[in-house]
Amino acid sequence: MKDKLEKIKQEALKQIESSDALEKLNEVRVNFLGKKGQLTAVLKGMKDVPAQDRPKVGALVNETREEIERVLEEAMTKMEKMKREAQMKQEVIDVTLPAKKNSVGHRHPNTIAMEEVERIFVGMGYEVVEGPEIETDYYNFEALNIPADHPAKDEQDTFYISGDFLLRTQTSGTQVHVMEKGKLPIRMIAPGRVFRSDEVDATHSPSFHQIEGLVIDKHITFADLKGTLAEFAKELFGEDTKVRFRPHHFNFTEPSAEMDVSCFKCGGSGCRFCKGTGWIEILGCGLVHPNVLRMSKIDPEKYSGFAFGIGLERIALLKYEIDDMRLLYENDIRFLKQF
Ligand code: DAH
């Protein structure tokens, strides 16, 4: 019996020594100490040992068992330690490496320009409103004094959805929505996206943005329009900015004008930027046409007003000296980051 136990022990120790993984050590444990293991088999054979020898043999079995367990435990601890060390070596962090930079997006030049324009008008007591991008022919044309057969409609050919519905060609329709609410006086700007079936080039896009403005009150005159827009130009382009108004035609205003600002690059003496004229056109404006007031149930005998429309991209291109509008729509972060 003693020899048998010694043989089992030697075999177990040999196997432990030659194990190169925790799984192998576990196998050894099962093979020798497990329920069906070799040592357990010996214990089961105890019934065949004469009664007086049993304590001795029992002690011997226990000793063997303890010895195997001890060696096994040691081997496992050593193996685990080695495994951890190998892992640590693999996962080592080099604290001297440069940190990864978080790249954050950037506000679009259009957005920056829009917020700037909004800030100026809100400062003058204007409300910012939003109109729908899908309009009916009535809001986009008819109620703005552009009847069905008017040539102004051809110039603003656009995307029709079905029947009466179309993508708005101008933010001016928002004037009508606001006037129809019947709350007077009105002092509002309406920024938003507009659509025209234009070919893409350096100054055109089928989708761009406008900022509409409308003021309706008693005794509003062209002087109010001039004062307001001159102040706006100074805030936007600098204190020395001068403005001039050139007569123009818009159906929904009478009289109508286009406003130029003195070139903020050369101060008005003429340069490449203003094509040598000293002036840069930035918006259309005028006194609201009595027909427009009437159609929206405002009495032109009691109320008058002025309106204006600013091309947002034009402001962004001018302000940031960008010479191709297409850059605004490519969303290349290297471009956007510059503003
Ligand atoms: N809606 C005009 C356009 O798209 C711009 C405009 C001009 C708006 C004069 C106005 C205005 O409110 O008074 O060309």
Side-chain angles (χ1 to χ4, degrees):
M1 183 57 96
K2 201 175 164 191
D3 285 351
K4 194 173 173 195
L5 284 170
E6 185 60 26
K7 237 181 98 189
I8 292 178
K9 189 171 101 183
Q10 288 312 326
E11 178 58 24
L13 297 186
K14 212 176 95 194
Q15 285 191 23
I16 292 172
E17 184 151 19
S18 65
S19 292
D20 55 2
L22 276 174
E23 296 75 43
K24 289 252 171 69
L25 288 174
N26 263 325
E27 270 171 34
V28 176
R29 186 200 293 280
V30 173
N31 280 345
F32 290 88
L33 308 175
K35 265 188 192 163
K36 290 177 185 159
Q38 296 188 32
L39 209 56
T40 320
V42 174
L43 270 178
K44 279 180 187 156
M46 284 287 273
K47 61 182 186 305
D48 301 330
V49 175
Q52 71 274 20
D53 290 343
R54 273 184 207 159
K56 249 176 102 186
V57 176
L60 211 57
V61 172
N62 278 341
E63 241 172 62
T64 307
R65 179 180 193 88
E66 277 162 23
E67 176 70 1
I68 295 176
E69 270 176 352
R70 191 182 59 76
V71 176
L72 195 64
E73 207 55 48
E74 263 178 31
M76 283 188 136
T77 314
K78 210 170 119 196
M79 192 92 63
E80 265 166 15
K81 200 172 147 204
M82 268 161 58
K83 198 174 154 189
R84 234 189 345 263
E85 275 170 3
Q87 197 178 6
M88 297 249 274
K89 249 187 219 146
Q90 213 176 41
E91 292 177 2
V92 80
I93 294 169
D94 183 353
V95 292
T96 64
L97 280 175
K100 272 192 199 144
K101 274 204 190 114
N102 270 344
S103 70
V104 184
H106 198 277
R107 269 152 82 236
H108 195 278
N110 268 358
T111 311
I112 305 174
M114 176 133 88
E115 286 175 359
E116 178 71 359
V117 173
E118 284 180 6
R119 186 189 63 76
I120 296 168
F121 281 105
V122 166
M124 293 195 240
Y126 285 57
E127 192 186 345
V128 180
V129 302
E130 236 178 88
E133 287 176 4
I134 297 174
E135 281 287 20
T136 57
D137 185 86
Y138 178 77
Y139 286 99
N140 198 74
F141 295 119
E142 192 84 25
L144 293 166
N145 205 28
I146 308 171
D149 53 0
H150 198 280
K153 244 177 132 166
D154 298 343
E155 282 165 25
Q156 294 195 11
D157 196 13
T158 191
F159 307 103
Y160 284 84
I161 294 167
S162 66
D164 210 23
F165 291 100
L166 52 97
L167 295 183
R168 67 178 173 190
T169 61
Q170 46 189 354
T171 45
S172 304
T174 312
Q175 292 185 25
V176 181
H177 287 287
V178 173
M179 286 189 288
E180 275 182 348
K181 287 210 172 107
K183 237 182 93 195
L184 294 168
I186 293 166
R187 219 181 285 130
M188 67 98 182
I189 55 167
R193 193 169 178 187
V194 299
F195 306 85
R196 292 189 195 179
S197 51
D198 283 344
E199 295 284 341
V200 175
D201 64 24
T203 53
H204 290 88
S205 159
S207 161
F208 56 103
H209 298 78
Q210 293 183 328
I211 301 170
E212 193 73 20
L214 177 70
V215 171
I216 309 262
D217 205 345
K218 287 175 175 154
H219 315 300
I220 295 290
T221 68
F222 209 91
D224 297 305
L225 178 157
K226 282 180 96 169
T228 303
L229 294 179
E231 190 54 36
F232 162 70
K234 281 188 182 161
E235 287 251 6
L236 192 62
F237 294 112
E239 197 45 41
D240 298 329
T241 309
K242 291 183 210 34
V243 294
R244 76 172 183 191
F245 292 82
R246 282 177 291 101
H248 201 79
H249 170 79
F250 297 105
N251 282 53
F252 34 90
T253 44
E254 180 60 34
S256 305
E258 278 187 333
M259 184 177 95
D260 299 339
V261 293
S262 54
C263 179
F264 43 85
K265 202 85 178 134
C266 63
S269 54
C271 67
R272 194 185 66 86
F273 208 64
C274 54
K275 300 192 186 80
T277 64
W279 296 95
I280 298 171
E281 182 222 314
I282 66 157
L283 57 82
C285 58
L287 292 186
V288 182
H289 198 292
N291 285 351
V292 172
L293 292 175
R294 259 192 297 271
M295 278 187 274
S296 291
K297 313 273 183 295
I298 295 174
D299 184 352
E301 300 300 325
K302 289 195 187 130
Y303 285 93
S304 55
F306 66 83
F308 54 90
I310 307 167
L312 181 63
E313 277 79 358
R314 192 161 165 71
I315 301 285
L317 296 180
L318 285 172
K319 228 175 138 56
Y320 303 116
E321 298 182 28
I322 303 164
D323 52 18
D324 193 325
M325 190 164 166
R326 285 168 287 203
L327 289 166
L328 291 178
Y329 304 117
E330 281 167 3
N331 282 335
D332 185 332
I333 191 74
R334 291 167 301 180
F335 166 75
L336 296 177
K337 262 200 312 218
Q338 300 172 58
F339 309 100

